[in-house]
Amino acid sequence: MLAEDGPAIEARVRHRLAALGVDHETIACDPDFADTAAFCARYGIPPEQSANTIVVAARKEPGIACACVVLATCRLDVNHAVCDLLRVRKASFATAEQTVERTGMMIGGVTPFGLPEELPLYVDSRVMAQASVVIGGGSRSLKIRLAPAGLLRLPGARAVDGLATLVPAPSA
């Protein structure tokens, strides 16, 4: 699968949000600032209100994968939590190419609302504790702000305690 062009994927994501009745706000984004740290710095979004959708794949079992939503202030626990959920011994972050192949979306724009339905979606409980979060909008030109409960409207989406660990703030 190739990455869908921005307007096509964005239209599909907006349609999915509307079909699920998810209240949201769209935020236009300069594609050069789509990666989380750059986006937060450029647009004044606190990292604890920014969430990433990360694709993870089993290393030895072809076709076994999932997507996980974690806050920018957290690190996804691939080796334990994700492997347990996928029931595999080893898994790793999907490469940019694998992410495009599985989702049709590029890193910096991956959104749960554009994922294939057969891909399980796990949302870290810290995401669910926020009043709102900013996630990818399907392309590197769009972000979406929504209440995290909207993520659980997706079929098969599940909130998971301990999916990610908090990254300690850098020392001054």
Side-chain angles (χ1 to χ4, degrees):
M1 175 185 292
L2 296 174
E4 290 186 51
D5 78 330
I9 186 72
E10 290 171 12
R12 188 163 56 90
V13 167
R14 284 184 171 112
H15 180 266
R16 188 92 191 267
L17 286 159
L20 292 169
V22 176
D23 288 332
H24 65 282
E25 168 193 353
T26 58
I27 303 168
C29 175
D30 180 331
D32 291 337
F33 294 91
D35 294 320
T36 306
F39 173 80
C40 289
R42 170 84 178 236
Y43 296 98
I45 303 294
E48 61 274 8
Q49 293 176 10
S50 180
N52 295 312
T53 303
I54 302 165
V55 178
V56 177
R59 288 193 191 162
K60 296 186 181 195
E61 297 86 352
I64 296 180
C66 68
C68 302
V69 180
V70 299
L71 294 176
T73 55
C74 293
R75 182 176 296 124
L76 182 61
D77 182 3
V78 174
N79 293 326
H80 298 100
V82 177
C83 283
D84 289 349
L85 289 164
L86 292 177
R87 295 187 176 110
V88 298
R89 287 193 47 216
K90 293 186 178 185
S92 57
F93 296 100
T95 64
E97 294 79 20
Q98 290 169 323
T99 298
V100 169
E101 185 179 305
R102 285 198 173 272
T103 69
M105 296 176 277
M106 296 189 328
I107 301 288
V110 178
T111 182
F113 296 97
L115 296 172
E117 288 193 21
E118 68 274 5
L119 196 64
L121 177 67
Y122 303 114
V123 182
D124 184 61
S125 58
R126 284 183 178 86
V127 172
M128 300 306 299
Q130 300 299 311
S132 70
V133 291
V134 176
I135 61 172
S139 77
R140 292 180 59 86
S141 300
L142 184 70
K143 300 291 183 182
I144 299 166
R145 182 189 308 268
L146 69 145
L151 296 166
L152 298 183
R153 291 193 180 190
L154 287 159
R158 183 171 134 200
V160 177
D161 287 331
L163 185 62
T165 57
L166 196 59
V167 175
S171 304

